[in-house]
Amino acid sequence: MTKAELVVKIAEKANLTKANAERALNAFLETVESTLVSEGKLTLTGFGTFMVELRKSRVGRNPRTGLELKIPETKVVKFRPGKILKDAVK
């Protein structure tokens, strides 16, 4: 599903115009992003938890040359689904 398709679904379910649905979705996404940057974790009870974790540095290999290279540590966003979402997908 694309963002445009999601906006249409939100507009239908919440009885909003597409423009209002898109504003609401953008506000949600901006809030998730700013919360993860500032706090590192966002929990939506029943749906799941978004969290920022540190991936340690590791040794990788260039597939073309076979040379080893060091991949630096980096922050990654992970998602752990909640019980309601897990049950809905089953």
Side-chain angles (χ1 to χ4, degrees):
M1 176 179 283
T2 65
K3 184 178 177 183
E5 293 168 337
L6 182 58
V7 166
V8 170
K9 292 266 187 188
I10 292 170
E12 289 172 359
K13 290 208 177 235
N15 198 20
L16 298 170
T17 64
K18 286 182 188 177
N20 286 339
E22 186 170 12
R23 275 190 228 108
L25 179 58
N26 287 337
F28 172 76
L29 295 175
E30 289 169 11
T31 303
V32 168
E33 180 181 343
S34 65
T35 301
L36 288 175
V37 168
S38 64
E39 299 176 27
K41 186 175 182 181
L42 172 71
T43 301
L44 300 171
T45 304
F47 183 75
T49 302
F50 295 91
M51 62 202 111
V52 177
E53 291 187 357
L54 189 64
R55 182 183 295 163
K56 294 180 182 177
S57 61
R58 59 198 189 279
V59 176
R61 190 173 297 277
N62 183 328
R64 282 197 176 161
T65 63
L67 294 175
E68 287 187 353
L69 57 121
K70 182 179 179 188
I71 301 171
E73 67 180 25
T74 185
K75 291 180 181 180
V76 293
V77 176
K78 294 193 175 185
F79 176 75
R80 184 175 303 143
K83 181 172 177 16
I84 294 172
L85 181 59
K86 283 182 188 178
D87 291 344
V89 172
K90 282 186 181 177

